[in-house]
Each structure stands twice: as C-alpha cells, then as structure tokens.
C-alpha cells in the first residue's frame, strides 16, 4: 500500500514538473495594425433606406477604408475591428461600442479593407476616426 502511494505521488510530481517545462502552443489573437483610415459616403444603392441600429431613425451610410498590416506569415481569420468614431462636435457616433465590425481574412503583409457603418443623420460631419486596430485568429473560428 505504501509503495502504491509513493508511486502515485512520484508520477503526480513528474506530470506537474513536465507541465512547467513543456506547454502546448495556444491559439492566441494576432494583432493587426490598421492605418491610412478614411471614409466616404456609400453609393446610393447601398445607402437607400439606411437606419441606425435598433431604431427607425434616419441614418447616413459611410464606408470606412484603410490598410491592414498582418505581421505574421500566416493568414489571420475573423479579425475584429475596434476603433472610435466621433462627429464634428467630438461626440461619439456609436455610444459604448468600440467593436465596429470584422475582416473575414487578412493575408500576410499589407492589404486593403473596408467596413460599412451607419451614423445618425443628425450628427454633423466630418467624422473623426481614432484608435483603429484589429485582432484575429490563426485558424478559422466561425463557420
């Protein structure tokens, strides 16, 4: 009985020690740098009937464009875009919301992206786009 207990303790310690020395790589978020961020009004066929989220209040449609830099050698999938958008009076366009959308795939290197947003029609332009960044995964998460 004593030998069995000592064996169990020995193997438990060995597994604990090995878990400190070797740990498998985790699927972590890859940070994507976004730059050259600009916006333009949506074409009429896209903007027709635009309303703000959750209401029937009239909205203006804009397409935010820019460049995304993937510093890895692998394609990044499902990259969430975060940023802050302010109107001409420095009021936030999207209250309590920094996630603006996503990019399905970001290949290695620099690539273009675009994102459609709706802004309440009573908020004055020009818009100010600040603190844009993205983060995604090294493998597809959603299907």
């Amino acid at each position: 009985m004593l030998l069995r207990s000592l064996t169990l303790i020995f193997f438990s310690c060995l597994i604990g020690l090995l878990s400190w020395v070797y740990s498998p790589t985790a699927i972590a978020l890859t940070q994507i740098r976004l730059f050259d961020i600009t916006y333009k009004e949506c074409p009429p066929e896209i903007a027709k009937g635009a309303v703000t989220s959750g209401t029937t209040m009239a909205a203006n449609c804009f397409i935010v464009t820019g460049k995304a830099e993937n510093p890895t050698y692998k394609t990044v999938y499902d990259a969430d875009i975060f940023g802050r958008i302010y109107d001409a009076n420095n009021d936030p366009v999207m209250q309590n919301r920094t996630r603006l959308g996503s990019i399905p795939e970001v290949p290695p290197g620099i690539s273009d992206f675009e994102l459609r947003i709706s802004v309440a029609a009573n908020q004055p332009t020009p818009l100010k786009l600040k603190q844009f960044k993205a983060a995604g995964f090294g493998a597809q998460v959603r299907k």
Side-chain angles (χ1 to χ4, degrees):
M1 183 73 172
L2 180 62
L3 183 61
R4 187 179 225 180
S5 298
L6 289 175
T7 304
L8 181 64
I9 291 171
F10 172 75
F11 280 112
S12 297
C13 291
L14 183 63
I15 290 171
L17 183 64
L18 287 176
S19 68
W20 283 350
V21 175
Y22 172 76
S23 61
T25 57
I27 299 176
L29 287 175
T30 301
Q31 299 300 314
I32 305 294
R33 184 173 77 100
L34 302 179
F35 59 99
D36 291 343
I37 311 292
T38 59
Y39 73 94
K40 62 184 177 187
E41 289 189 24
C42 293
E45 60 272 7
I46 295 175
K48 184 178 179 182
V51 294
T52 56
S53 178
T55 69
T56 57
M57 192 167 95
N60 295 323
C61 175
F62 296 101
I63 295 179
V64 177
T65 60
K67 300 201 178 291
E69 181 181 11
N70 176 357
T72 67
Y73 298 106
K74 295 181 178 181
T75 299
V76 173
Y77 299 94
D78 300 319
D80 290 322
I81 299 173
F82 300 94
R84 298 192 182 275
I85 303 175
Y86 299 97
D87 66 10
N89 297 329
N90 286 325
D91 293 324
V93 168
M94 298 180 183
Q95 291 285 341
N96 301 320
R97 187 171 147 200
T98 58
R99 184 189 178 278
L100 303 173
S102 67
I103 307 171
E105 290 184 12
V106 183
I110 296 175
S111 59
D112 296 324
F113 78 92
E114 66 179 33
L115 167 72
R116 182 186 175 277
I117 60 168
S118 295
V119 176
N122 64 354
Q123 292 195 279
T125 57
L127 300 177
K128 298 171 187 168
L129 310 173
K130 298 183 178 187
Q131 300 175 339
F132 271 66
K133 64 180 179 178
F137 300 93
Q140 270 190 316
V141 177
R142 302 175 208 146
K143 294 209 177 206

